[in-house]
Amino acid sequence: MIRKQKPKVIILESNDELRNHAGSILSKEGWQVRCEHVSKDALDTLAQSKNTRFALFITNFKLPKMEGDDILQKVKSISPLTQRMLMVPANKPDTLISVINKAGVNACITSPFKDEDLVNQAKHCFKKFKHALKRQQLKRVSAHQNKQMLKIAQRLKKKDDVYKHLIDKKNAEKLALESKKRSAENLNALNANTCISNLMDKKAIEPAPDTFKKEFITICKTIQDLFDQVITRHRTDSLNLNLKEILDTVKKDDEPSSQKLIEKIIKAALTRTIDKAAPIPVSSPENEDTAVKGTQDLLDDYFEISISKNQIKAYIKKIKEPGDNFPAPGLSDILDLLIQKQVSYGILDDQAIETWISKSFVKKIIIAEGEEQVPGRDGEINFNFETDFTNPGKISEDGSIDFRERGDIPYVSKGELLAVKTMPKKGRPGITVSGTPIPVNEAVDPVFVAGTGTEISEDGLQIHAAIDGQPHLDALGTISVNPELMIPGDVDFETGNIDFKGNIVVKGMIKEGFTVKGINLTVQEVEGAVIDLSGDLKVCAGITESKISTQGNIYAKFINHSNIMGFGDLTVSKEIIDSKIMLSKSCINSTGHIISSEITAKTGIEAGKIGTPSSQPARLKVGVDEHIETLKTKMDKDLEISVGKTGLLKDEIKRLEEKDQELYRKISEKAHIQDRAQVEIKKLKSSPADSEKLNGIKKLTQKAKEAEQELNLIFETQDNIAKEIQRARDQISILEEKNKNIVIKKKALKEFSKKDRPLPVITVAKTITQDSIIKGPHSAIILKEDASRCKIRELAFKEENIQFYEMNISDL
């Protein structure tokens, strides 16, 4: 049994008595009533009703902050199907016309109103709402059917294209076969007409002795010319065919036909040629290659091909002029020589080459020219503020920092231009005269992200300040303008955790168990806290048992039992004890002491003392950026998880769409039942009435009604499926945006890692104890004894073309 849901209505009225009275009337009539007295609350309720729409929205014309027609305009934009009723004072009839034109209301009722008038108007609106809902559902069905028809049409067009391609292919094969057939027929005709009599018939020559002899001699000369061309290429004497000797060799008992005479002439020509220029290439492919090679070797005596160092230009130079033993080469000879020298791209046109061979007195010309590569231009960002402002304050003799003495701090006003980006220009690959591509490096497109307190232009090339404050550029390329939050005391239970998109100044300390997130943080002391910043951390005293992550520099008096990850430098004036530190730049502890700590710094470590005889050895690694690699690994894992979730959501959408597709089939069946019932009812009504026909009409009407109810249930199911699909698509959009941000951050990490060259160097101002472990990118060392005032660095050297690395200790 289908459970009938109550229709929903919102009543917006500032008068409590009128609002409660109207709500009571509609509740008794089976409406689910929501009463509001503030327009914003009513509109928010309407916007959030995603599962079940409100059928009706009733409001008074005059409200404290917004007039009713303006409210109903917003209702129409939020939920177009929701019916809109306006209550208008009875003494303002002119208001009705303007309201109907402006807000497009569906019903009006004058106040004070009769109860039955409100009920009737509400029923009328609910009926119109159901019709509008059904129209929307039918539109969706029609749109689905149109989409299906479009897919069918596209499939048919695709098949048509495939068949057309096959027909074109068969036609091409047919033309090729016809061409082969014609060639075969021509060859047969040629073989059948190689006698002189046939040639004379074709040329319409009289079969007189003189003309016969003249044509025969012409054929002999033609054959002799052909063989002379081969002989000339092989530097032999010319071939002289003696017709008398050839004719004398014909046996008297043989019939001296023209066919046999021609065969004798060819045989004699071959014999003479073989004798004078052995071996002569006749049919073997290997011999043909040898003949070509011989010709090219000969051309090398007369022409010189040279190629520029950048492989872009090829030159040809005449060494000596052809003589009697070597006729002038043709275009094909020069082209063959170029191919032998692997010159195949950008060759001069044929006419220019022929002109140079025969007429030009210029000895050397450019015979081929490739294309030079056009380097790309990296994108650039020009900043209108100081991006490397790192003055933490004045460092006192005891190592503490006075943050009041910081000099001039950068400051911008709202609307001020912060940065301008110049887009990269793509390069163009080149190509050598041998046809080899010359690649170009891809132009770098720098990360350009507008953070909090900024706004980016429509073209994405300018960032302006959206507020007054201090400008900031973080390590990953995000530009922000930051207001300042002042905490007069400690960060504790009174303040709670702090997440502020700006600069934070804490006059006291950040206590154990609390988290602070922001841009730059200035604080007296950090103890047992979690700090996550996109800027600098400045601690007047020290950091104890805390977890720190920053994109800027860190300044502190001491660090004890803490984990620190940072993109910038870590500057500590006193000790670093039992801590794990990963830095993308340097660890600067020139006057302090490193004890029992594990420190990785890409651009080196400076220390006063390292280790003590009684403590665990220090483990120091330089010249590598484990910080960036750790972040990349985490991003890759996050991206993999996010892509996996996206795939599952897409599978869910596919399953829901298949279920929705099945519902469309059911809709068609039920709609067909309704249509057939209506047709049958119409037929029965047109004939004379009797009890049997009336009973039939009743059954058909009931059948149509049941189909209508089932259709409504299907439409409701479809609505729920549509909501589930939209929910999944919303989640996919969120995940894809997250994936996009991860990709941008990975790109920013890659750009950041290129800024500073790795420096595998440790500088010790005082002493470093034995058993300290020092690692570089390719080598490591464990100190066997104490050392003082020294520099430990990784050096590279070669032995027998093999690259070796070692850690070297030298005095300062």
Side-chain angles (χ1 to χ4, degrees):
M1 183 176 178
I2 301 172
R3 184 179 177 183
K4 191 174 181 181
Q5 289 186 339
K6 290 183 178 181
K8 295 169 64 178
V9 60
I10 294 176
I11 300 176
L12 175 60
E13 173 58 64
S14 57
N15 186 299
D16 294 341
E17 184 179 351
L18 182 59
R19 182 178 66 250
N20 294 333
H21 177 63
S24 175
I25 293 170
L26 294 179
S27 293
K28 290 178 183 178
E29 292 296 322
W31 287 79
Q32 184 179 342
V33 180
R34 177 69 179 266
C35 293
E36 299 286 355
H37 65 280
V38 178
S39 57
K40 184 180 183 302
D41 294 340
L43 294 173
D44 288 344
T45 300
L46 180 67
Q48 293 168 6
S49 62
K50 293 181 178 179
N51 294 329
T52 307
R53 293 186 181 93
F54 279 92
L56 180 60
F57 190 104
I58 302 174
T59 182
N60 199 346
F61 174 73
K62 205 68 178 174
L63 290 169
K65 292 187 177 180
M66 188 183 297
E67 291 189 348
D69 51 354
D70 294 327
I71 294 171
L72 292 181
Q73 267 189 307
K74 291 186 178 293
V75 170
K76 185 178 181 180
S77 63
I78 294 171
S79 179
L81 296 184
T82 299
Q83 301 296 295
R84 300 170 295 281
M85 182 188 296
L86 187 67
M87 291 188 291
V88 182
N91 59 352
K92 294 185 177 180
D94 296 339
T95 305
L96 290 175
I97 298 173
S98 64
V99 168
I100 291 171
N101 292 332
K102 184 177 180 181
V105 296
N106 304 103
C108 284
I109 187 169
T110 57
S111 58
F113 51 80
K114 294 181 180 180
D115 293 355
E116 57 268 25
D117 289 343
L118 178 62
V119 171
N120 292 334
Q121 289 275 36
K123 284 182 179 179
H124 177 68
C125 287
F126 182 53
K127 187 176 180 181
K128 290 173 68 176
F129 171 75
K130 287 195 294 184
H131 285 315
L133 195 62
K134 183 160 286 187
R135 278 198 304 271
Q136 186 189 59
Q137 292 165 340
L138 291 175
K139 281 183 181 179
R140 188 172 64 215
V141 173
S142 300
H144 174 78
Q145 291 173 342
N146 291 338
K147 188 177 179 181
Q148 296 295 101
M149 293 296 292
L150 178 61
K151 286 182 179 178
I152 293 171
Q154 288 174 339
R155 282 198 293 267
L156 291 174
K157 185 178 183 302
K158 191 175 181 180
K159 285 184 178 180
D160 184 56
D161 292 340
V162 172
Y163 290 144
K164 185 176 181 301
H165 176 72
L166 290 174
I167 291 170
D168 293 341
K169 186 178 178 181
K170 294 296 182 184
N171 287 335
E173 291 176 356
K174 180 182 175 183
L175 291 173
L177 290 172
E178 288 177 351
S179 176
K180 287 182 179 179
K181 181 182 176 184
R182 286 194 299 270
S183 299
E185 290 173 350
N186 292 336
L187 183 59
N188 291 334
L190 182 62
N191 292 333
N193 296 316
T194 52
C195 62
I196 291 183
S197 58
N198 288 339
L199 291 174
M200 293 176 68
D201 289 340
K202 189 173 182 180
K203 293 184 178 182
I205 298 172
E206 290 294 331
D210 291 340
T211 54
F212 186 90
K213 180 181 178 181
K214 182 179 178 182
E215 192 64 30
F216 179 75
I217 290 171
T218 301
I219 293 172
C220 290
K221 286 183 177 180
T222 302
I223 294 172
Q224 180 168 334
D225 290 341
L226 291 173
F227 280 95
D228 281 347
Q229 291 180 21
V230 177
I231 290 166
T232 300
R233 290 285 178 249
H234 291 271
R235 293 174 280 184
T236 63
D237 298 332
S238 62
L239 178 66
N240 185 15
L241 292 177
N242 190 321
L243 295 181
K244 187 175 182 302
E245 290 179 6
I246 294 172
L247 293 174
D248 288 342
T249 59
V250 180
K251 294 181 180 180
K252 293 181 179 180
D253 55 348
D254 291 339
E255 182 183 351
S257 65
S258 60
Q259 179 73 28
K260 289 188 177 182
L261 285 175
I262 292 171
E263 290 176 359
K264 287 291 181 180
I265 293 170
I266 294 172
K267 186 176 180 180
L270 286 172
T271 304
R272 297 276 185 90
T273 306
I274 292 170
D275 292 340
K276 291 191 175 187
I280 294 179
V282 178
S283 60
S284 170
E286 291 82 0
N287 289 341
E288 290 175 6
D289 293 341
T290 304
V292 173
K293 185 177 180 182
T295 304
Q296 291 169 345
D297 290 341
L298 181 62
L299 288 172
D300 285 340
D301 296 337
Y302 291 86
F303 297 96
E304 178 186 84
I305 302 290
S306 59
I307 300 175
S308 61
K309 287 184 178 180
N310 60 6
Q311 303 288 308
I312 297 298
K313 293 181 180 180
Y315 303 88
I316 186 168
K317 181 180 179 182
K318 292 178 183 177
I319 301 174
K320 60 181 179 179
E321 295 294 336
D324 296 335
N325 294 330
F326 183 72
L331 172 65
S332 59
D333 298 315
I334 298 298
L335 294 177
D336 288 342
L337 181 61
L338 290 172
I339 291 171
Q340 182 197 18
K341 303 297 183 182
Q342 297 183 343
V343 177
S344 58
Y345 183 84
I347 298 173
L348 280 180
D349 61 84
D350 296 350
Q351 186 177 357
I353 295 174
E354 288 176 340
T355 302
W356 178 72
I357 293 171
S358 60
K359 299 178 182 179
S360 176
F361 294 101
V362 179
K363 294 292 184 182
K364 185 177 181 180
I365 63 168
I366 298 174
I367 191 70
E369 190 167 4
E371 296 180 12
E372 290 194 33
Q373 63 177 9
V374 178
R377 184 187 65 202
D378 292 344
E380 294 180 353
I381 299 176
N382 294 318
F383 298 95
N384 292 337
F385 62 93
E386 189 177 352
T387 59
D388 57 351
F389 177 75
T390 57
N391 182 14
K394 185 177 180 180
I395 301 177
S396 59
E397 292 182 359
D398 65 352
S400 61
I401 303 172
D402 183 359
F403 294 119
R404 292 170 294 184
E405 299 294 333
R406 298 180 58 198
D408 294 332
I409 300 173
Y411 189 86
V412 295
S413 302
K414 180 180 178 180
E416 192 171 332
L417 179 63
L418 300 174
V420 178
K421 177 179 178 179
T422 302
M423 291 297 293
K425 185 177 180 182
K426 196 173 181 180
R428 188 187 70 213
I431 188 167
T432 66
V433 290
S434 63
T436 304
I438 305 173
V440 293
N441 294 328
E442 185 177 353
V444 176
D445 186 7
V447 173
F448 193 61
V449 180
T452 56
T454 66
E455 53 189 16
I456 195 165
S457 59
E458 289 185 6
D459 59 7
L461 299 180
Q462 293 184 344
I463 293 179
H464 292 79
I467 60 172
D468 298 342
Q470 182 181 347
H472 173 71
L473 173 69
D474 69 22
L476 299 182
T478 300
I479 300 169
S480 59
V481 175
N482 311 302
E484 190 167 86
L485 172 65
M486 180 70 69
I487 306 295
D490 297 336
V491 174
D492 51 19
F493 286 102
E494 186 176 344
T495 62
N497 295 327
I498 295 176
D499 188 353
F500 181 67
K501 303 300 182 183
N503 299 328
I504 305 167
V505 177
V506 180
K507 295 293 187 179
M509 67 183 299
I510 302 173
K511 292 189 175 181
E512 182 178 356
F514 290 91
T515 299
V516 175
K517 295 182 180 180
I519 308 297
N520 298 309
L521 171 62
T522 302
V523 62
Q524 184 70 24
E525 188 174 354
V526 179
E527 184 177 304
V530 176
I531 309 296
D532 187 2
L533 306 173
S534 61
D536 297 340
L537 171 62
K538 308 173 186 72
V539 185
C540 183
I543 302 170
T544 305
E545 295 182 347
S546 297
K547 185 176 180 181
I548 311 294
S549 176
T550 72
Q551 291 186 29
N553 300 312
I554 303 172
Y555 305 89
K557 185 176 180 180
F558 63 84
I559 297 174
N560 192 0
H561 291 85
S562 296
N563 288 335
I564 294 178
M565 296 178 67
F567 285 83
D569 295 327
L570 169 64
T571 303
V572 180
S573 57
K574 295 294 184 181
E575 65 274 2
I576 300 174
I577 303 174
D578 285 329
S579 295
K580 184 175 181 180
I581 298 170
M582 285 193 291
L583 304 170
S584 294
K585 289 192 176 180
S586 302
C587 177
I588 304 169
N589 185 224
S590 307
T591 60
H593 198 166
I594 298 174
I595 303 171
S596 300
S597 294
E598 183 178 345
I599 301 176
T600 302
K602 178 182 176 182
T603 57
I605 297 173
E606 297 179 16
K609 294 181 181 180
I610 299 175
T612 67
S614 59
S615 65
Q616 291 292 324
R619 296 172 299 281
L620 310 178
K621 186 180 290 188
V622 288
V624 294
D625 198 340
E626 286 188 351
H627 171 237
I628 293 293
E629 294 305 318
T630 301
L631 292 177
K632 284 182 180 178
T633 301
K634 184 179 182 302
M635 287 180 183
D636 289 338
K637 187 175 180 180
D638 291 344
L639 191 61
E640 183 181 354
I641 293 171
S642 183
V643 169
K645 289 181 180 178
T646 302
L648 292 175
L649 287 169
K650 287 181 178 179
D651 290 342
E652 183 183 353
I653 289 173
K654 185 178 179 181
R655 180 183 60 79
L656 290 169
E657 286 178 341
E658 289 173 353
K659 188 176 179 181
D660 195 41
Q661 179 71 25
E662 180 64 22
L663 290 176
Y664 279 115
R665 185 186 64 79
K666 291 182 179 179
I667 288 171
S668 299
E669 292 175 357
K670 301 305 176 185
H672 181 70
I673 291 172
Q674 277 187 313
D675 291 341
R676 292 302 306 165
Q678 294 297 334
V679 171
E680 293 297 328
I681 290 171
K682 190 174 181 181
K683 285 182 180 179
L684 291 173
K685 285 183 177 180
S686 63
S687 60
D690 56 36
S691 58
E692 185 177 349
K693 289 179 180 178
L694 291 173
N695 190 38
I697 291 173
K698 186 177 180 181
K699 288 181 178 180
L700 288 170
T701 304
Q702 180 62 28
K703 189 176 182 180
K705 186 177 180 181
E706 290 174 356
E708 174 75 14
Q709 290 175 343
E710 291 178 4
L711 269 176
N712 290 335
L713 183 61
I714 292 171
F715 284 141
E716 184 177 343
T717 305
Q718 275 193 320
D719 287 340
N720 292 331
I721 289 174
K723 290 170 186 173
E724 288 296 312
I725 290 174
Q726 187 59 47
R727 179 191 60 78
R729 284 176 177 162
D730 291 342
Q731 289 181 354
I732 288 174
S733 298
I734 293 170
L735 288 171
E736 287 178 344
E737 185 65 25
K738 179 183 176 182
N739 295 347
K740 180 182 175 183
N741 291 332
I742 291 175
V743 170
I744 291 174
K745 286 183 178 179
K746 284 187 67 177
K747 180 182 176 183
L749 285 178
K750 185 178 178 180
E751 289 182 14
F752 178 82
S753 65
K754 293 178 180 179
K755 291 181 179 179
D756 297 297
R757 185 172 61 87
L759 294 175
V761 178
I762 296 176
T763 303
V764 182
K766 295 181 181 178
T767 59
I768 179 170
T769 60
Q770 67 176 16
D771 296 330
S772 296
I773 302 169
I774 314 296
K775 292 184 178 181
H778 309 96
S779 61
I781 188 174
I782 300 176
L783 295 186
K784 301 300 182 184
E785 58 184 15
D786 294 351
S788 61
R789 291 188 53 77
C790 62
K791 183 173 287 187
I792 306 171
R793 70 175 70 194
E794 183 180 85
L795 299 178
F797 60 94
K798 276 188 177 182
E799 285 185 6
E800 298 180 355
N801 293 324
I802 300 177
Q803 188 84 15
F804 292 94
Y805 298 89
E806 69 174 10
M807 300 302 297
N808 176 265
I809 304 176
S810 60
D811 295 335
L812 288 179

